[in-house]
Structures are given as structure tokens and as C-alpha cells.
Amino acid sequence: MKKLIVRLWRLVNGSLQWRILWLRHAKFTVGVTGVVRDADGNVLLLKHRFWPVGRQWGLPTGCANRSETFEDTVCREVREETGLKVQVGELVRLKSGYKLRLEVAYEAEFIGGTLEIDDFEILEARWFAPDELPEEMQESHRLLIHREHL
């Protein structure tokens, strides 16, 4: 039986194999976060309109688009939400296991632009020193900023 399956698999090669794999496996949403720092080490935080009251402050974050690299997602989300430009650095978190969501976070460096928030999603944007973060903040983002285990 295994030999027959292997033989059939080899016969349907190429794009048909990819379609079968796509139908067979789980689909994930990929949430991508940027830990954006300026030259002084301050961290960019956003007060997100759609996040739960009492935990609205957090890092720039959003979902990756199809065929978009995660690094490009960080740059796009920061630009869309704040108008700022960033250069993406090292991967600081890769986590799965939460339903059908994969979470990815990168360090990023502010490289230019003028702060202009997207007032549909964002209520406020400010730079914070890492030791002066707001109380009403996502705890997972606080841990990312301090590079602690999550």
C-alpha cells in the first residue's frame, strides 16, 4: 500500500502536489510584531483601538500577507500604523501552539519618517524608555522588550 501511495504521489508532481498538501494541512494566521527601538534605546509603543481596555498599549503588530516575508510585514505594519520607516534586525520570538496562530517577533531599528498615526487602528503612539513602560500594556510585549522568556 505504501509503495502505491508513493508511486501515485510521484505521478501528480508539481503544483498538484502543493494543492494536495494545502488541502491536507492546517492553515495558520501569522501575527508579526516589531520591537522598534530608536538610537537612544527607546521603544515605540502604540495604543491599539481594538485591543482590550486595560491592555491597549503594545508593540506594532499585524498579520502577514500571503507571499510576504515576515521582515516585510514588520516594515509594512510600522509604516501603515505610524508612517515611520524601520530596518528589521534579528528574530526574537517564534511561537506556535495557540489555536491556528503563529507568532513571530523581530527587533527593528527606527531609520526615519515622521510620526503620523493611522487613527482607525491606533489611538496614540509614543516612544518609551524600557524601564518606563505604561501599566496598561500587553505583558507578552513587555517581556519581548526586556528579552525575557515568554
Side-chain angles (χ1 to χ4, degrees):
M1 182 65 159
K2 288 180 185 178
K3 288 181 180 182
L4 176 62
I5 292 172
V6 169
R7 187 172 292 154
L8 286 172
W9 183 250
R10 289 182 179 149
L11 286 174
V12 299
N13 67 30
S15 64
L16 185 54
Q17 284 179 339
W18 282 107
R19 290 182 192 278
I20 293 168
L21 289 171
W22 188 86
L23 289 170
R24 169 68 179 90
H25 293 283
K27 312 309 176 276
F28 288 85
T29 298
V30 181
V32 182
T33 300
V35 184
V36 179
R37 300 179 195 272
D38 66 11
D40 297 324
N42 296 313
V43 179
L44 178 64
L45 294 181
L46 311 178
K47 190 170 186 180
H48 297 263
R49 181 179 304 276
F50 297 106
W51 290 11
V53 174
R55 293 185 293 138
Q56 288 179 284
W57 281 102
L59 298 163
T61 189
C63 291
N65 291 330
R66 184 175 304 191
S67 301
E68 182 178 53
T69 68
F70 301 148
E71 295 89 346
D72 287 346
T73 302
V74 171
C75 294
R76 177 182 52 78
E77 284 294 332
V78 171
R79 187 180 62 255
E80 287 177 357
E81 294 176 346
T82 68
L84 302 178
K85 294 179 183 178
V86 297
Q87 180 175 354
V88 177
E90 78 175 288
L91 176 70
V92 293
R93 181 176 187 215
L94 179 60
K95 185 176 181 182
S96 63
Y98 179 73
K99 299 185 181 180
L100 291 176
R101 181 177 168 106
L102 174 68
E103 296 181 3
V104 181
Y106 285 90
E107 284 283 344
E109 178 185 357
F110 166 68
I111 58 172
T114 304
L115 188 61
E116 296 178 29
I117 64 168
D118 168 12
D119 62 2
F120 179 74
E121 290 186 59
I122 307 301
L123 296 168
E124 188 178 349
R126 292 192 356 220
W127 294 96
F128 289 88
D131 59 347
E132 297 177 359
L133 301 175
E135 290 291 322
E136 297 180 342
M137 186 176 166
Q138 294 283 338
E139 186 60 23
S140 62
H141 288 194
R142 185 182 309 276
L143 295 172
L144 279 172
I145 291 166
H146 294 294
R147 302 290 293 265
E148 297 177 19
H149 293 299
L150 302 173

